[in-house]
Amino acid sequence: MRRLLTAAAALALLLTGCTAGDEGAEDGVVRLRFQSLAWQKESVDANRQLVDEWNAAHPDVQIDYVQGSWDSVHDQLLTSFEGGEAPDIIHDASDDLADFAYGGHLADLRALLPERLRTDIPARSWETTTFGDGIYGVPFLQEPRVIIANRKLLASSGVRVPTPERPWSWTEFRQIARDLTRHMGAGRYAVAWPLKEPVSVSLNLGLSAGGRLFHREADGRVTVRSTEADTVVPGTVHDQVVTDRTAPRTTLGSGGSDTLPGFFAGKYAMVPLGFAYRQQIAQQAPEGFEWTVLPAPAGSAGLTQGVSPQTLSIAEDSPYKKEAMEFLDFFLRPANMVRLARGDWMLPTGTAALADPSLHTAEAGWATGAALAAHLRPAPAQSVRGYPEWKDKVATPAFQEYYSGAIDGAELRSRLVEDGNRVLARYQRK
């Protein structure tokens, strides 16, 4: 069904690609295509409602909502840019923007950004969409990684429950997992790692231990180097699966949603997930199931973790950049940003929106997530040209084999560094 929806969205985009500008020229109405990747019902509803509100108040600048898909957005955008049929306003993630920005497909927003928007979003968030000297997207939603836990299992085991003020260390997390697994009994595990997409999890959580993996050299080139700090998080996951047997191999190829039935059944006490998964848990948990949101473990850099915010960009080929930014300024007003954040069960980047009391309640772990917002930093791979290829061809299979025990740490480092640098070198030739 997701594939069918993706194909339908792509077809709709192609069919509308060449007509919007012509219609605007004929009837005097500026028509902008906004491709949204919202997919959860609450999020889609919030996006569509804001588009409707804008259209009702701005008869001369109309927004056409186009549904895109996270599953295929990179390839779909690449095709639409090359064909000259890109949407005017583009919803994406910051770690997908580098190649499009350097390739000249996205507009530099510096001269377009209103001061309110520029100052409301912290500098660390703007760093995620800054490539070279330009800003190529507005970061507006962010998602820390947290641990969703079975409250009753934690309470009955007697383990210390972490808080943002006093989190577990990675070493303590490993010991807690041992204690929990013993308490739960045969056939059950303290933690389930859904690592179908292992790269962003490994790199972003690795920042807490001081890991970076990507390093910018004196000549401006980016290279891959593995230090001791880069091994803390991957080593913990590997040891939980292979050595301690406190995490099952069976979930390593799973997506986050795939682990939820086992979590609800008590097979796993904890599942590390993105903050937005709380929506599925709230909707799908059986009656009487008690769950809680815990901060991810902390390392030498505390609770720091990498994040790739959701972004809104403007196509370089759009003839209506000014009008597009006016819409974004409306779309991302503090009250509207709160609506979008709650619809997606994520956190807003804007400081005014993040201060909203509804995002600081104990209900559904909102307060825990909000407490982590100050610790979010640009993901290590943000500005790395060639990252998508490095991730797909080198890092994903290497991490998957390492976490399953098929290769050791030395082989993992060799692949990430040696094979990885060969990939990145092709994108950085001068």
Side-chain angles (χ1 to χ4, degrees):
M1 181 59 70
R2 291 284 293 276
R3 291 191 182 95
L4 290 173
L5 290 173
T6 298
L11 178 60
L13 182 63
L14 290 172
L15 291 174
T16 59
C18 299
T19 60
D22 294 338
E23 290 177 1
E26 289 177 3
D27 60 14
V29 176
V30 171
R31 301 186 187 280
L32 301 173
R33 283 173 296 125
F34 167 34
Q35 179 171 305
S36 171
L37 302 180
W39 64 276
Q40 300 183 93
K41 184 181 184 304
E42 292 177 62
S43 180
V44 172
D45 289 346
N47 277 261
R48 287 189 175 276
Q49 288 165 6
L50 288 173
V51 168
D52 290 343
E53 290 172 19
W54 168 274
N55 286 341
H58 300 82
D60 295 335
V61 180
Q62 293 289 285
I63 305 297
D64 294 331
Y65 183 96
V66 179
Q67 185 63 60
S69 169
W70 287 107
D71 293 340
S72 60
V73 64
H74 183 85
D75 291 340
Q76 179 263 314
L77 284 175
L78 186 62
T79 300
S80 64
F81 283 134
E82 292 176 348
E85 297 178 347
D88 300 274
I89 301 167
I90 298 163
H91 182 189
D92 203 351
S94 60
D95 64 356
D96 192 41
L97 299 185
D99 289 345
F100 297 139
Y102 288 121
H105 298 302
L106 301 178
D108 183 353
L109 305 181
R110 287 177 297 173
L112 297 168
L113 282 170
E115 187 63 20
R116 179 202 68 78
L117 200 54
R118 186 191 298 271
T119 58
D120 184 51
I121 296 175
R124 63 178 180 271
S125 294
W126 286 118
E127 289 177 22
T128 66
T129 58
T130 299
F131 304 96
D133 295 327
I135 295 175
Y136 294 92
V138 182
F140 72 109
L141 292 179
Q142 55 191 347
E143 181 181 22
R145 294 190 179 275
V146 295
I147 295 175
I148 309 295
N150 183 316
R151 188 192 299 272
K152 289 183 178 179
L153 278 176
L154 259 63
S156 64
S157 71
V159 301
R160 183 178 77 81
V161 178
T163 64
E165 296 74 27
R166 192 176 169 225
W168 289 327
S169 68
W170 285 101
T171 300
E172 186 181 8
F173 176 52
R174 187 178 173 189
Q175 182 58 53
I176 290 291
R178 294 192 195 103
D179 295 341
L180 262 174
T181 301
R182 282 195 296 269
H183 170 75
M184 294 170 66
R188 301 200 292 173
Y189 301 88
V191 59
W193 284 98
L195 292 175
K196 184 178 181 180
E197 301 288 345
V199 182
S200 62
V201 177
S202 306
L203 269 60
N204 290 341
L205 289 179
L207 284 185
S208 68
R212 285 211 58 85
L213 207 61
F214 294 100
H215 299 267
R216 191 168 296 278
E217 309 298 346
D219 62 0
R221 295 172 184 257
V222 175
T223 60
V224 185
R225 294 203 308 270
S226 180
T227 67
E228 191 66 29
D230 292 300
T231 69
V232 173
V233 173
T236 300
V237 178
H238 170 276
D239 291 346
Q240 287 180 330
V241 174
V242 178
T243 306
D244 302 341
R245 305 295 176 88
T246 57
R249 279 187 176 88
T250 54
T251 65
L252 293 177
S254 302
S257 300
D258 300 326
T259 62
L260 296 185
F263 176 60
F264 295 147
K267 187 174 182 179
Y268 321 122
M270 301 181 289
V271 186
L273 292 168
F275 196 53
Y277 274 96
R278 296 171 305 125
Q279 182 188 40
Q280 290 185 51
I281 293 169
Q283 293 176 344
Q284 298 174 15
E287 185 176 354
F289 183 84
E290 297 182 14
W291 55 280
T292 187
V293 178
L294 311 176
S300 60
L303 288 168
T304 301
Q305 58 176 276
V307 67
S308 297
Q310 292 187 24
T311 58
L312 294 168
S313 301
I314 299 174
E316 175 60 26
D317 287 345
S318 174
Y320 303 117
K321 296 182 181 66
K322 175 177 175 291
E323 291 83 355
M325 181 54 73
E326 289 172 352
F327 169 71
L328 292 185
D329 188 30
F330 160 80
F331 194 71
L332 299 178
R333 289 175 181 171
N336 293 344
M337 201 182 281
V338 172
R339 291 166 64 181
L340 293 168
R342 292 192 64 83
D344 242 331
W345 287 61
M346 297 176 72
L347 299 175
T349 58
T351 54
L354 188 60
D356 189 276
S358 70
L359 303 180
H360 293 263
T361 63
E363 180 186 3
W366 280 106
T368 298
L372 299 177
H375 302 278
L376 301 180
R377 297 293 181 269
Q382 280 302 156
S383 59
V384 178
R385 296 199 68 181
Y387 170 73
E389 181 178 346
W390 176 84
K391 179 184 72 171
D392 294 341
K393 294 184 178 179
V394 176
T396 294
F399 275 119
Q400 287 174 335
E401 291 182 46
Y402 174 62
Y403 289 144
S404 69
I407 63 174
D408 62 14
E411 177 65 17
L412 173 68
R413 288 190 294 275
S414 173
R415 291 196 195 180
L416 295 179
V417 175
E418 296 174 18
D419 296 348
N421 281 325
R422 280 194 287 270
V423 170
L424 297 189
R426 294 203 307 273
Y427 289 82
Q428 301 182 88
R429 292 186 182 125
K430 296 185 178 179

